[in-house]
Coordinates of all heavy atoms in Angstrom, one line a residue:
M20 N 31.1 120.1 -22.5 CA 30.1 119.0 -22.2 C 28.7 119.6 -22.7 O 28.4 120.7 -22.5 CB 30.1 118.8 -20.7 CG 29.1 117.8 -20.3 SD 29.1 117.5 -18.5 CE 30.3 116.2 -18.5
K21 N 28.0 118.7 -23.3 CA 26.7 118.9 -23.8 C 25.7 119.1 -22.7 O 25.6 118.2 -21.8 CB 26.2 117.9 -24.8 CG 24.9 118.2 -25.5 CD 24.6 117.1 -26.5 CE 23.2 117.4 -27.1 NZ 22.8 116.3 -27.8
E22 N 24.8 120.0 -22.7 CA 23.8 120.2 -21.7 C 22.6 119.2 -22.0 O 22.3 119.0 -23.1 CB 23.2 121.6 -21.6 CG 24.1 122.6 -20.9 CD 23.4 124.0 -20.7 OE1 22.2 124.0 -20.3 OE2 24.1 125.1 -21.0
R23 N 22.1 118.7 -20.9 CA 20.9 117.8 -21.0 C 19.7 118.7 -21.3 O 19.5 119.7 -20.8 CB 20.6 117.1 -19.7 CG 21.6 115.9 -19.5 CD 21.1 115.0 -18.4 NE 21.0 115.8 -17.1 CZ 20.6 115.4 -16.0 NH1 20.1 114.0 -16.0 NH2 20.5 116.1 -14.9
E24 N 18.8 118.0 -22.2 CA 17.6 118.7 -22.4 C 16.6 118.5 -21.2 O 16.6 117.4 -20.6 CB 17.0 118.1 -23.6 CG 15.8 118.8 -24.1 CD 15.3 118.3 -25.5 OE1 16.1 117.7 -26.2 OE2 14.1 118.6 -25.8
E25 N 15.9 119.5 -20.8 CA 15.0 119.4 -19.7 C 13.7 118.9 -20.1 O 13.0 119.4 -20.9 CB 14.9 120.7 -19.0 CG 14.2 120.7 -17.7 CD 14.2 122.1 -17.0 OE1 15.3 122.5 -16.7 OE2 13.2 122.7 -16.9
F26 N 13.3 117.7 -19.5 CA 12.0 117.1 -19.9 C 11.0 117.3 -18.8 O 9.8 117.1 -18.9 CB 12.2 115.6 -20.1 CG 13.0 115.3 -21.3 CD1 14.3 114.8 -21.2 CD2 12.4 115.4 -22.6 CE1 15.0 114.5 -22.3 CE2 13.2 115.1 -23.7 CZ 14.6 114.7 -23.6
Y27 N 11.4 117.7 -17.7 CA 10.4 117.9 -16.5 C 10.9 119.0 -15.6 O 12.0 119.4 -15.7 CB 10.3 116.6 -15.8 CG 11.5 116.2 -15.2 CD1 11.9 116.6 -13.9 CD2 12.4 115.3 -15.8 CE1 13.2 116.3 -13.3 CE2 13.6 115.0 -15.2 CZ 14.0 115.4 -14.0 OH 15.1 115.0 -13.4
K28 N 10.0 119.4 -14.9 CA 10.5 120.5 -13.8 C 9.5 120.2 -12.5 O 8.3 119.9 -12.7 CB 10.1 121.8 -14.3 CG 10.7 122.9 -13.5 CD 10.6 124.2 -14.4 CE 11.6 125.2 -13.8 NZ 11.5 126.5 -14.6
L29 N 10.2 120.2 -11.4 CA 9.5 120.0 -10.1 C 9.2 121.2 -9.5 O 9.9 122.2 -9.5 CB 10.3 119.2 -9.2 CG 10.7 117.7 -9.7 CD1 11.6 117.1 -8.7 CD2 9.5 116.9 -10.0
Y30 N 7.9 121.4 -8.9 CA 7.5 122.6 -8.3 C 7.0 122.2 -6.8 O 6.5 121.2 -6.6 CB 6.3 123.2 -9.0 CG 6.6 123.7 -10.4 CD1 6.3 122.9 -11.5 CD2 7.1 124.9 -10.5 CE1 6.6 123.4 -12.8 CE2 7.4 125.4 -11.8 CZ 7.2 124.7 -13.0 OH 7.5 125.2 -14.2
N31 N 7.4 123.2 -5.9 CA 7.0 123.1 -4.6 C 5.6 124.0 -4.6 O 5.6 125.1 -4.8 CB 8.0 123.8 -3.7 CG 7.8 123.5 -2.2 OD1 6.7 123.0 -1.9 ND2 8.8 123.9 -1.5
I32 N 4.6 123.3 -4.4 CA 3.3 123.9 -4.4 C 2.8 124.1 -3.0 O 2.6 123.1 -2.2 CB 2.2 123.1 -5.3 CG1 2.8 123.1 -6.7 CG2 0.9 123.9 -5.2 CD1 1.9 122.2 -7.5
G33 N 2.5 125.2 -2.5 CA 2.1 125.4 -1.2 C 1.8 126.9 -1.0 O 1.4 127.7 -1.9
N34 N 2.1 127.4 0.2 CA 1.8 128.8 0.6 C 3.2 129.3 0.9 O 3.9 128.5 1.7 CB 0.8 128.9 1.6 CG 0.4 130.3 1.8 OD1 1.1 131.3 1.5 ND2 -0.9 130.5 2.2
N35 N 3.6 130.5 0.6 CA 4.9 131.0 1.0 C 4.8 131.8 2.4 O 5.6 132.6 2.5 CB 5.4 131.9 -0.1 CG 4.4 133.0 -0.5 OD1 3.2 133.0 -0.1 ND2 4.8 133.9 -1.4
K36 N 3.8 131.4 3.1 CA 3.8 132.0 4.5 C 3.9 130.9 5.5 O 3.2 129.8 5.4 CB 2.5 132.7 4.7 CG 2.3 133.9 3.8 CD 0.9 134.5 4.0 CE 0.9 135.7 3.0 NZ -0.5 136.0 2.6
S37 N 4.6 131.0 6.6 CA 4.7 130.0 7.6 C 3.4 130.0 8.5 O 2.9 131.0 8.7 CB 5.9 130.3 8.4 OG 6.3 129.3 9.3
V38 N 3.1 128.8 8.9 CA 2.0 128.6 9.9 C 2.6 127.9 11.1 O 3.2 126.9 11.1 CB 0.9 127.7 9.3 CG1 -0.2 127.4 10.2 CG2 0.4 128.4 8.0
K39 N 2.2 128.4 12.3 CA 2.7 127.8 13.5 C 2.0 126.3 13.7 O 0.8 126.2 13.4 CB 2.2 128.6 14.7 CG 3.0 130.0 14.8 CD 2.4 130.8 16.1 CE 3.2 132.1 16.0 NZ 2.7 133.1 17.0
L40 N 2.8 125.4 14.1 CA 2.3 124.1 14.2 C 1.0 124.0 15.2 O 0.1 123.2 14.7 CB 3.4 123.2 14.8 CG 3.1 121.7 14.9 CD1 2.5 121.0 13.6 CD2 4.2 121.0 15.5
L41 N 1.1 124.6 16.2 CA -0.2 124.6 17.2 C -1.4 125.2 16.5 O -2.6 124.7 16.8 CB 0.2 125.2 18.5 CG 1.1 124.4 19.4 CD1 1.4 125.1 20.6 CD2 0.5 123.0 19.6
D42 N -1.2 126.3 15.7 CA -2.4 126.8 14.9 C -2.9 125.7 13.9 O -4.1 125.6 13.7 CB -1.9 128.0 14.1 CG -1.7 129.2 15.1 OD1 -2.1 129.1 16.2 OD2 -1.0 130.2 14.6
F43 N -2.0 125.0 13.2 CA -2.4 123.9 12.3 C -3.1 122.8 13.1 O -4.2 122.5 12.6 CB -1.0 123.5 11.6 CG -1.4 122.4 10.5 CD1 -2.0 122.7 9.4 CD2 -0.9 121.0 10.8 CE1 -2.3 121.7 8.4 CE2 -1.1 120.1 9.8 CZ -1.8 120.4 8.6
I44 N -2.5 122.4 14.1 CA -3.3 121.4 15.0 C -4.6 121.9 15.4 O -5.6 121.1 15.4 CB -2.3 121.0 16.1 CG1 -1.1 120.3 15.6 CG2 -3.1 120.1 17.1 CD1 0.0 120.1 16.7
S45 N -4.6 123.1 15.9 CA -6.1 123.6 16.4 C -7.0 123.6 15.3 O -8.2 123.3 15.5 CB -5.7 125.1 16.8 OG -7.0 125.7 17.1
E46 N -6.6 123.9 13.9 CA -7.6 123.9 12.9 C -8.1 122.4 12.6 O -9.3 122.2 12.3 CB -7.0 124.4 11.6 CG -6.9 125.9 11.6 CD -8.3 126.5 11.7 OE1 -9.3 126.1 11.0 OE2 -8.4 127.5 12.5
I47 N -7.2 121.5 12.7 CA -7.6 120.1 12.6 C -8.5 119.7 13.7 O -9.6 119.1 13.4 CB -6.3 119.2 12.5 CG1 -5.4 119.4 11.4 CG2 -6.7 117.7 12.7 CD1 -4.1 118.8 11.4
E48 N -8.2 120.0 14.9 CA -9.0 119.7 16.1 C -10.4 120.3 15.8 O -11.5 119.6 16.1 CB -8.5 120.2 17.4 CG -7.2 119.5 17.7 CD -6.5 120.1 19.0 OE1 -6.6 121.3 19.3 OE2 -5.8 119.3 19.7
K49 N -10.5 121.6 15.5 CA -11.8 122.2 15.2 C -12.7 121.6 14.3 O -13.8 121.4 14.4 CB -11.5 123.8 14.8 CG -12.8 124.6 14.7 CD -12.5 126.0 14.4 CE -12.1 126.2 12.9 NZ -11.8 127.6 12.7
N50 N -12.0 121.1 13.2 CA -12.7 120.5 12.1 C -13.2 119.0 12.4 O -14.0 118.5 11.8 CB -12.0 120.6 10.7 CG -12.1 122.0 10.2 OD1 -13.1 122.3 9.5 ND2 -11.1 122.9 10.5
L51 N -12.5 118.4 13.2 CA -12.8 117.1 13.6 C -13.7 117.1 14.9 O -14.1 116.0 15.4 CB -11.5 116.2 13.9 CG -10.7 115.9 12.7 CD1 -9.4 115.2 13.1 CD2 -11.5 115.0 11.7
N52 N -13.9 118.2 15.5 CA -14.6 118.3 16.8 C -14.0 117.4 17.9 O -14.7 116.7 18.6 CB -16.1 117.9 16.6 CG -16.7 118.9 15.8 OD1 -16.6 120.2 15.9 ND2 -17.6 118.5 14.8
K53 N -12.7 117.3 17.9 CA -12.0 116.5 18.8 C -10.7 117.3 19.3 O -10.1 117.9 18.4 CB -11.5 115.1 18.3 CG -12.6 114.2 17.9 CD -12.1 112.9 17.4 CE -13.2 111.9 17.1 NZ -12.7 110.7 16.7
E54 N -10.3 117.1 20.5 CA -9.1 117.6 20.9 C -8.0 116.6 21.0 O -8.3 115.5 21.6 CB -9.2 118.3 22.4 CG -8.0 119.1 22.8 CD -8.3 119.8 24.1 OE1 -9.4 120.1 24.4 OE2 -7.3 120.2 24.6
G55 N -6.9 116.8 20.5 CA -5.8 115.9 20.4 C -5.0 115.9 21.7 O -5.1 116.9 22.5
T56 N -4.3 114.8 22.1 CA -3.5 114.8 23.2 C -2.2 115.3 22.7 O -1.5 114.8 21.8 CB -3.3 113.3 23.7 OG1 -4.7 112.8 24.0 CG2 -2.4 113.3 24.9
K57 N -1.6 116.3 23.4 CA -0.3 117.0 22.9 C 0.6 116.8 24.1 O 0.3 117.0 25.2 CB -0.7 118.4 22.6 CG -1.5 118.7 21.4 CD -1.7 120.1 21.2 CE -3.1 120.7 21.6 NZ -4.3 120.0 21.8
K58 N 1.9 116.4 23.7 CA 2.9 116.4 24.7 C 4.0 117.5 24.2 O 4.7 117.0 23.3 CB 3.4 115.0 24.8 CG 4.6 114.9 25.8 CD 5.0 113.5 25.9 CE 6.2 113.4 26.9 NZ 6.7 112.0 27.0
L59 N 4.0 118.7 24.7 CA 4.9 119.6 24.3 C 6.3 119.4 24.8 O 6.4 119.2 26.0 CB 4.4 121.1 24.7 CG 3.0 121.4 24.2 CD1 2.5 122.8 24.7 CD2 2.9 121.4 22.7
M60 N 7.2 119.5 24.0 CA 8.6 119.2 24.3 C 9.5 120.2 23.8 O 9.2 120.9 22.8 CB 9.0 117.7 23.8 CG 8.2 116.6 24.4 SD 8.6 115.1 23.6 CE 10.2 114.8 24.3
P61 N 10.7 120.3 24.3 CA 11.7 121.2 23.7 C 12.0 120.9 22.3 O 11.8 119.7 21.9 CB 12.9 121.3 24.6 CG 12.7 120.2 25.7 CD 11.3 119.6 25.5
M62 N 12.6 121.8 21.5 CA 13.2 121.5 20.2 C 14.1 120.2 20.3 O 14.9 120.1 21.2 CB 13.9 122.7 19.7 CG 13.2 123.9 19.4 SD 12.0 123.8 18.0 CE 13.2 124.0 16.7
Q63 N 13.8 119.3 19.3 CA 14.6 118.1 19.3 C 15.6 118.2 18.1 O 15.4 119.0 17.2 CB 13.6 116.8 18.9 CG 12.5 116.7 20.0 CD 13.0 116.3 21.3 OE1 13.7 115.3 21.4 NE2 12.8 117.1 22.3
P64 N 16.7 117.4 18.1 CA 17.6 117.4 17.1 C 16.9 117.1 15.7 O 16.1 116.2 15.5 CB 18.6 116.2 17.4 CG 18.4 116.0 18.8 CD 17.0 116.4 19.2
G65 N 17.1 118.0 14.7 CA 16.5 117.9 13.4 C 15.3 118.8 13.3 O 14.8 119.0 12.2
D66 N 14.7 119.2 14.4 CA 13.6 120.1 14.3 C 14.0 121.5 13.6 O 15.1 121.9 13.8 CB 13.0 120.5 15.7 CG 12.2 119.3 16.3 OD1 11.9 118.3 15.5 OD2 11.8 119.4 17.4
V67 N 13.0 122.1 13.0 CA 13.4 123.5 12.5 C 12.5 124.5 13.1 O 11.2 124.2 13.4 CB 13.2 123.4 10.9 CG1 14.3 122.7 10.2 CG2 11.9 123.0 10.5
K68 N 12.9 125.7 13.3 CA 12.1 126.7 14.0 C 11.0 127.2 13.1 O 9.9 127.5 13.5 CB 12.9 127.9 14.5 CG 13.8 127.4 15.7 CD 14.5 128.6 16.3 CE 15.4 128.2 17.4 NZ 15.9 129.4 18.1
K69 N 11.2 127.3 11.8 CA 10.3 127.9 10.8 C 10.6 127.3 9.4 O 11.6 127.2 9.1 CB 10.5 129.4 10.9 CG 9.3 130.2 10.3 CD 9.6 131.7 10.5 CE 8.4 132.4 10.3 NZ 8.5 133.9 10.4
T70 N 9.5 127.0 8.8 CA 9.5 126.5 7.4 C 8.4 126.9 6.6 O 7.3 127.3 7.1 CB 9.7 125.0 7.4 OG1 9.9 124.5 6.1 CG2 8.4 124.3 7.9
W71 N 8.6 127.1 5.3 CA 7.4 127.4 4.4 C 7.9 127.0 2.9 O 9.1 126.7 2.7 CB 7.1 128.9 4.4 CG 8.4 129.7 4.0 CD1 8.6 130.2 2.8 CD2 9.4 130.1 4.8 NE1 9.8 130.9 2.8 CE2 10.2 131.0 4.1 CE3 9.7 130.1 6.3 CZ2 11.3 131.5 4.6 CZ3 10.8 130.7 6.8 CH2 11.6 131.4 6.0
A72 N 6.9 126.8 2.0 CA 7.2 126.5 0.7 C 7.8 127.6 -0.1 O 7.2 128.8 0.0 CB 5.9 126.0 0.1
N73 N 8.8 127.3 -0.8 CA 9.4 128.3 -1.7 C 8.7 128.1 -3.1 O 9.0 127.3 -3.8 CB 10.9 128.1 -1.8 CG 11.5 129.1 -2.8 OD1 10.8 129.8 -3.5 ND2 12.8 129.3 -2.8
I74 N 7.8 129.0 -3.4 CA 7.0 129.0 -4.6 C 7.4 129.9 -5.7 O 6.7 130.2 -6.6 CB 5.4 129.1 -4.3 CG1 5.2 130.5 -3.7 CG2 5.0 128.0 -3.3 CD1 3.7 130.8 -3.6
D75 N 8.6 130.4 -5.6 CA 9.0 131.4 -6.6 C 8.9 130.9 -8.0 O 8.5 131.6 -8.8 CB 10.5 131.8 -6.3 CG 10.7 132.5 -5.0 OD1 9.6 133.0 -4.4 OD2 11.8 132.7 -4.5
Q76 N 9.3 129.6 -8.3 CA 9.3 129.1 -9.7 C 7.7 129.0 -10.0 O 7.5 129.3 -11.3 CB 9.9 127.7 -9.7 CG 11.4 127.8 -9.7 CD 12.0 128.4 -11.0 OE1 11.6 128.0 -12.1 NE2 12.7 129.5 -10.7
M77 N 6.9 128.6 -9.3 CA 5.5 128.5 -9.7 C 4.9 129.8 -9.9 O 4.2 130.1 -10.9 CB 4.7 127.8 -8.5 CG 4.7 126.3 -8.4 SD 3.9 125.6 -9.9 CE 2.2 125.9 -9.6
M78 N 5.3 130.8 -9.1 CA 4.9 132.2 -9.4 C 5.4 132.8 -10.6 O 4.7 133.4 -11.4 CB 5.3 133.1 -8.2 CG 4.6 132.8 -6.9 SD 5.3 133.7 -5.5 CE 4.6 135.3 -5.8
S79 N 6.7 132.5 -11.0 CA 7.3 133.1 -12.2 C 6.7 132.3 -13.4 O 6.6 132.9 -14.5 CB 8.8 133.2 -12.1 OG 9.4 132.1 -12.5
D80 N 6.7 131.0 -13.4 CA 6.4 130.2 -14.5 C 4.8 130.2 -14.9 O 4.4 130.1 -16.1 CB 6.7 128.7 -14.5 CG 8.3 128.6 -14.4 OD1 9.0 129.6 -14.8 OD2 8.7 127.4 -14.2
Y81 N 4.0 130.2 -13.8 CA 2.5 130.1 -14.0 C 1.7 131.3 -13.5 O 0.5 131.2 -13.3 CB 2.1 128.8 -13.4 CG 2.6 127.6 -14.2 CD1 3.7 126.9 -13.7 CD2 2.0 127.2 -15.3 CE1 4.2 125.8 -14.4 CE2 2.5 126.1 -16.1 CZ 3.6 125.4 -15.6 OH 4.0 124.4 -16.2
N82 N 2.4 132.3 -12.9 CA 1.8 133.4 -12.2 C 0.8 132.9 -11.1 O -0.3 133.3 -10.9 CB 0.9 134.2 -13.2 CG 0.5 135.6 -12.7 OD1 1.2 136.1 -11.8 ND2 -0.6 136.1 -13.2
Y83 N 1.4 131.8 -10.3 CA 0.7 131.2 -9.2 C 0.8 132.1 -8.1 O 1.8 132.5 -7.6 CB 1.4 129.9 -9.1 CG 0.9 129.2 -7.7 CD1 -0.5 128.6 -7.6 CD2 1.6 129.1 -6.6 CE1 -0.9 127.9 -6.6 CE2 1.2 128.5 -5.4 CZ -0.1 127.9 -5.4 OH -0.5 127.3 -4.3
H84 N -0.5 132.3 -7.4 CA -0.5 133.1 -6.2 C -1.6 132.4 -5.2 O -2.7 132.4 -5.7 CB -0.9 134.5 -6.5 CG 0.0 135.3 -7.3 ND1 1.1 135.8 -6.8 CD2 0.0 135.6 -8.6 CE1 1.8 136.5 -7.8 NE2 1.2 136.3 -8.9
P85 N -1.0 131.7 -4.2 CA -1.9 131.1 -3.3 C -3.0 132.0 -2.7 O -2.8 133.1 -2.3 CB -1.1 130.5 -2.2 CG 0.3 131.1 -2.3 CD 0.3 131.8 -3.7
K86 N -4.3 131.3 -2.7 CA -5.4 132.2 -2.2 C -6.0 131.4 -1.0 O -6.9 131.9 -0.3 CB -6.4 132.3 -3.3 CG -5.8 133.2 -4.4 CD -7.0 133.4 -5.5 CE -6.3 134.0 -6.7 NZ -5.8 133.2 -7.7
T87 N -5.7 130.1 -0.8 CA -6.4 129.3 0.3 C -5.7 129.5 1.6 O -4.5 129.3 1.7 CB -6.2 127.8 -0.2 OG1 -6.8 127.6 -1.5 CG2 -7.0 126.9 0.8
T88 N -6.6 129.9 2.5 CA -6.1 130.1 3.9 C -5.9 128.8 4.6 O -6.4 127.8 4.1 CB -7.0 130.8 4.7 OG1 -8.3 130.2 4.8 CG2 -7.3 132.3 4.1
I89 N -5.2 128.7 5.6 CA -4.9 127.5 6.5 C -6.3 126.9 6.9 O -6.6 125.7 6.9 CB -3.9 127.6 7.6 CG1 -3.6 126.3 8.1 CG2 -4.5 128.6 8.7 CD1 -2.7 125.4 7.2
E90 N -7.1 127.8 7.4 CA -8.4 127.5 7.8 C -9.3 126.8 6.7 O -10.0 125.7 7.0 CB -9.2 128.8 8.4 CG -8.6 129.4 9.6 CD -7.4 130.4 9.3 OE1 -7.3 130.7 8.0 OE2 -6.8 130.8 10.2
E91 N -9.3 127.4 5.5 CA -10.0 126.9 4.5 C -9.5 125.5 3.9 O -10.2 124.6 3.7 CB -10.1 127.9 3.3 CG -10.9 127.6 2.1 CD -10.8 128.4 0.9 OE1 -10.2 129.5 1.1 OE2 -11.4 128.2 0.0
G92 N -8.2 125.4 3.9 CA -7.5 124.3 3.4 C -7.7 123.2 4.2 O -8.0 122.0 3.7
V93 N -7.6 123.2 5.6 CA -7.7 122.2 6.5 C -9.2 121.8 6.5 O -9.5 120.5 6.5 CB -7.2 122.6 7.9 CG1 -7.7 121.6 9.0 CG2 -5.8 122.8 8.0
K94 N -10.1 122.7 6.5 CA -11.5 122.4 6.5 C -11.8 121.5 5.2 O -12.5 120.4 5.3 CB -12.4 123.6 6.4 CG -13.9 123.3 6.4 CD -14.7 124.7 6.4 CE -16.1 124.2 6.6 NZ -17.0 124.9 5.7
K95 N -11.3 121.9 4.1 CA -11.6 121.1 2.9 C -11.0 119.8 2.8 O -11.5 118.7 2.4 CB -11.1 121.9 1.6 CG -12.1 123.1 1.2 CD -11.4 123.8 0.0 CE -12.4 124.9 -0.4 NZ -11.9 125.5 -1.7
F96 N -9.7 119.6 3.5 CA -9.1 118.3 3.5 C -9.7 117.4 4.5 O -10.0 116.3 4.1 CB -7.6 118.5 4.0 CG -7.0 117.3 4.3 CD1 -6.5 116.5 3.3 CD2 -6.9 116.8 5.6 CE1 -5.9 115.2 3.5 CE2 -6.3 115.4 5.9 CZ -5.9 114.7 4.8
I97 N -10.3 117.9 5.6 CA -10.9 117.1 6.6 C -12.3 116.6 5.9 O -12.7 115.5 6.1 CB -11.3 117.9 7.9 CG1 -10.0 118.2 8.6 CG2 -12.1 117.1 8.8 CD1 -9.1 117.1 9.1
E98 N -13.0 117.5 5.2 CA -14.3 117.1 4.5 C -13.9 116.0 3.6 O -14.7 115.0 3.4 CB -14.9 118.3 3.8 CG -15.6 119.3 4.7 CD -15.9 120.6 4.1 OE1 -15.7 120.8 3.0 OE2 -16.5 121.4 4.8
W99 N -12.9 116.2 2.7 CA -12.5 115.1 1.8 C -12.3 113.9 2.5 O -12.6 112.7 2.1 CB -11.3 115.7 0.9 CG -10.8 114.5 0.1 CD1 -11.3 114.0 -1.1 CD2 -9.7 113.6 0.5 NE1 -10.4 112.9 -1.5 CE2 -9.5 112.7 -0.5 CE3 -8.8 113.5 1.5 CZ2 -8.5 111.7 -0.5 CZ3 -7.9 112.7 1.6 CH2 -7.7 111.7 0.7
Y100 N -11.4 113.9 3.5 CA -10.9 112.7 4.2 C -12.1 112.0 4.8 O -12.2 110.6 4.6 CB -10.0 113.1 5.4 CG -9.4 112.0 6.0 CD1 -8.2 111.4 5.5 CD2 -9.9 111.4 7.1 CE1 -7.7 110.3 6.2 CE2 -9.5 110.3 7.8 CZ -8.2 109.8 7.3 OH -7.7 108.7 8.0
K101 N -13.0 112.7 5.3 CA -14.2 112.0 6.0 C -15.1 111.4 4.9 O -15.6 110.3 5.0 CB -15.1 113.0 6.7 CG -14.5 113.5 8.1 CD -15.4 114.3 8.7 CE -15.1 114.8 10.1 NZ -16.0 115.8 10.8
S102 N -15.3 112.0 3.7 CA -16.1 111.5 2.6 C -15.3 110.3 2.0 O -16.1 109.4 1.6 CB -16.3 112.5 1.6 OG -15.2 112.8 0.9
Y103 N -14.1 110.2 2.1 CA -13.4 109.2 1.4 C -13.1 108.0 2.3 O -13.1 106.8 1.9 CB -12.0 109.7 0.9 CG -11.3 108.8 -0.1 CD1 -11.7 108.8 -1.5 CD2 -10.3 108.0 0.3 CE1 -11.0 107.9 -2.3 CE2 -9.6 107.2 -0.6 CZ -10.0 107.1 -1.9 OH -9.4 106.4 -2.8
Y104 N -12.7 108.3 3.6 CA -12.3 107.2 4.5 C -13.5 106.8 5.6 O -13.3 105.8 6.2 CB -11.1 107.5 5.2 CG -9.9 107.4 4.3 CD1 -9.3 108.6 3.8 CD2 -9.4 106.2 3.9 CE1 -8.2 108.5 2.9 CE2 -8.2 106.2 3.0 CZ -7.7 107.3 2.6 OH -6.6 107.2 1.8
I105 N -14.3 107.7 5.8 CA -15.3 107.4 6.8 C -16.7 107.1 6.3 O -17.1 107.6 5.5 CB -15.4 108.5 8.0 CG1 -13.9 108.7 8.5 CG2 -16.4 108.3 9.0 CD1 -13.8 109.8 9.5

């Protein structure tokens, strides 16, 4: 069987370090100067305990090494969001 020629490649772009959900929420709250209403519940069906982006292909193909911290990334996103939507 003839192999297909590859015309595209998909990459998972992110950080290869896990961030706790409550830390992520805390950064959003800090940058919005608002506290969210949280209802903490036990793990639900389909929930995962830990996840992160697998960036191995980006690292090998493009020498990609993430430098943006969660604090910096959330801050920049909130600034963009406010300038675009508010």
Side-chain angles (χ1 to χ4, degrees):
M20 179 180 271
K21 184 179 175 187
E22 284 190 41
R23 282 191 304 176
E24 190 172 339
E25 192 173 291
F26 293 104
Y27 61 90
K28 196 169 198 178
L29 298 177
Y30 292 97
N31 192 353
I32 302 174
N34 194 332
N35 53 350
K36 295 178 185 150
S37 189
V38 175
K39 293 179 183 173
L40 179 58
L41 288 177
D42 292 344
F43 183 67
I44 292 169
S45 176
E46 282 303 314
I47 294 170
E48 291 174 330
K49 182 173 81 175
N50 284 277
L51 290 175
N52 295 315
K53 292 183 180 185
E54 188 172 339
T56 304
K57 297 177 254 338
K58 182 178 179 183
L59 302 179
M60 299 177 66
M62 293 286 285
Q63 302 294 304
D66 284 353
V67 292
K68 289 185 180 188
K69 200 171 190 179
T70 183
W71 60 93
N73 180 342
I74 60 168
D75 292 347
Q76 284 294 304
M77 282 289 292
M78 290 174 77
S79 90
D80 291 353
Y81 293 100
N82 197 28
Y83 171 75
H84 297 281
K86 297 177 186 96
T87 305
T88 65
I89 192 70
E90 296 84 7
E91 182 185 356
V93 168
K94 181 178 186 223
K95 286 182 178 183
F96 174 77
I97 297 295
E98 288 171 353
W99 168 83
Y100 185 90
K101 284 180 172 180
S102 72
Y103 194 81
Y104 288 105
I105 299 176

